[in-house]
Amino acid sequence: MPLLDKIGKIASTATLTPAPEAQAATESKASSYTERLAQSKGEVQERINRLLLELGRAYYKHHADDHQTELEEQLAAIREAYEEIAQYQQQADEIAARQRCPSCGTKLPEGSMFCNICGTKLAKAPESSAGQNQRLCPKCGAVLNPDDIFCASCGVDLRK
């Protein structure tokens, strides 16, 4: 027994300190594990956000016309946002219609006098969304760039 008592005393007084390499490896594993936990947490949060979005859409779909709900303010704000999107889409459609051939619907380059697909002569060059202060060709009415010397549509010399 005296031998075991002696070993017990030595073991209790000795402190176990890991070697620097072992300590670094342990910290690296902990850091890696912490990063994986953070990534997993982020993935679950993204899944929750998608589910909440789906829930919100489903709620809006079922209650969009309800006017006696505790979420009426939010529903009204969503309705207004959808109306605003519809206005923007209508404006974009109007601009796109002015930039398309009336015969075949092909998108036309700015200032075209003829359709480049079906050859239809255009009564007037499509209007650009840039506004009224554009430089136009005096011969064909095509929209010109500020530094153009010749018209790209009809070839007229613009220096005169």
Side-chain angles (χ1 to χ4, degrees):
M1 276 302 218
L3 178 64
L4 289 177
D5 289 336
K6 195 173 185 182
I7 293 174
K9 281 183 180 180
I10 294 172
S12 65
T13 58
T15 57
L16 297 175
T17 56
E21 298 86 18
Q23 190 172 2
T26 302
E27 289 173 3
S28 176
K29 286 180 184 178
S31 175
S32 175
Y33 185 69
T34 304
E35 289 172 7
R36 283 184 287 170
L37 287 174
Q39 182 180 5
S40 296
K41 179 183 166 192
E43 290 170 358
V44 172
Q45 185 62 52
E46 286 178 22
R47 188 172 68 221
I48 289 170
N49 290 342
R50 282 193 308 272
L51 290 168
L52 288 171
L53 183 62
E54 290 174 19
L55 176 65
R57 283 186 178 144
Y59 183 89
Y60 178 77
K61 183 179 177 182
H62 291 6
H63 299 282
D65 297 324
D66 293 355
H67 296 287
Q68 300 294 326
T69 179
E70 65 277 1
L71 300 175
E72 177 53 32
E73 278 185 43
Q74 290 87 349
L75 292 172
I78 293 170
R79 284 191 295 270
E80 289 172 11
Y82 275 127
E83 289 170 9
E84 190 174 346
I85 288 172
Q87 290 172 355
Y88 292 142
Q89 185 61 51
Q90 181 181 2
Q91 291 173 0
D93 291 346
E94 288 171 2
I95 291 169
R98 288 193 302 254
Q99 296 174 343
R100 295 200 176 270
C101 173
S103 295
C104 69
T106 299
K107 185 172 169 100
L108 301 169
E110 195 170 322
S112 297
M113 295 302 292
F114 294 88
C115 176
N116 57 346
I117 298 298
C118 70
T120 300
K121 181 175 169 93
L122 304 173
K124 177 180 155 189
E127 295 178 22
S128 172
S129 59
Q132 299 289 342
N133 57 356
Q134 289 184 335
R135 185 172 160 220
L136 302 176
C137 174
K139 182 176 178 187
C140 70
V143 177
L144 303 170
N145 292 321
D147 57 343
D148 283 349
I149 298 173
F150 293 93
C151 177
S153 291
C154 70
V156 71
D157 188 345
L158 302 170
R159 294 176 287 187
K160 299 176 185 177

